[in-house]
Amino acid sequence: MTAGRFISLEGGEGAGKSTQARALAAALEARGIPIVVTREPGGSDGAESIRALLLTGETNRWSPHSEALLFAAARADHVERTIGPALSAGSWVICDRFLDSTRAYQGAAEGIDDAAVLALHAFGSKGLLPDRTFVLDMGPEEGARRAARRDGGATDRFAQRDSAFHQAVADAFRRIAAHEPDRVRMVDATRPVEAVTAALLDGLADLL
Ligand code: T5A
């Protein structure tokens, strides 16, 4: 059995990652490709337990260093128990957030050195990188509006951060895409759902 492909969707709050994970999965399944859709933080029993620690409670519940370690631990379990086995079985994996979220949130926005984030990833997850990463790009304000409409105003620890934090996250995703153009593609996420899905499929043409 041939190994599958690993795709991650990144971007700020409310950019449409979960919507596109489902839509892209449906489009690829229609082509006969076996798909596993998963998410971070979470995606395995252990990582889902860590997710609850990370997303609930006071905004400053964890220090940036503790938070980076918790995300790396959750990711290690997720890679070991869910992503790795699915890829080995020949499935394509679509992951709603992955390593680049830690680089953007804990790294750029919270001040953890990128080299330290990558070192944790090398130790915890053997440095696994997606074959393709899409950054769903839109202004943080529009993303926040979409998420607020969806959630009726309820927010998690990260959504409660100020606009400078979310702008730093958005800028970090753009920088990562500029430095790693073979792996990471920017996609304009302000368009209708179907247009964004079509752009993702275009961006996978060389892998199909
Ligand atoms: N985090 C995560 C870190 O700090 N470090 C890390 O390493 C990782 C992995 C996770 C939080 O953890 C942080 C980042 C996050 O703050 P989460 O609850 O999983 O939090 O939520 P997010 O990943 O932020 O994603 P959201 O659930 O907020 O939004 P999505 O998935 O991007 O957006 P989605 O698809 O739910 O869409 C939002 C709304 O917009 C509509 C949808 O129907 C929905 O109502 N929509 C559109 N409307 C118009 N046009 C379109 N094209 C639309 N697409 C979607």
Side-chain angles (χ1 to χ4, degrees), residues 20 22 38 45 52 84-85 97 104 137 139 145 156-157 172 178 199 204:
Q20 290 304 325
R22 290 190 295 272
T38 186
D45 287 349
R97 296 193 182 278
D137 191 37
R145 270 195 294 275
D156 63 33
R157 286 180 60 241
L204 291 174

Side-chain angles (χ1 to χ4, degrees), residues 13-14 16-19 75 97 102 106 150 158 191:
E13 256 72 4
K17 299 174 296 300
S18 310
T19 302
R75 184 162 300 126
R97 296 193 182 278
T102 309
Q106 284 65 51
R150 182 197 57 196
F158 291 94
R191 294 170 290 173

Side-chain angles (χ1 to χ4, degrees), residues 127-149:
L128 177 71
L129 288 178
D131 296 294
R132 179 85 3 103
T133 295
F134 294 106
V135 175
L136 301 188
D137 191 37
M138 71 175 351
E141 302 79 18
E142 176 56 20
R145 270 195 294 275
R146 277 189 187 174
R149 267 199 302 273

Side-chain angles (χ1 to χ4, degrees), residues 98-117:
F98 193 66
L99 173 69
D100 298 309
S101 279
T102 309
R103 300 174 73 188
Y105 283 77
Q106 284 65 51
E110 295 183 12
I112 304 287
D113 188 53
D114 194 47
V117 173

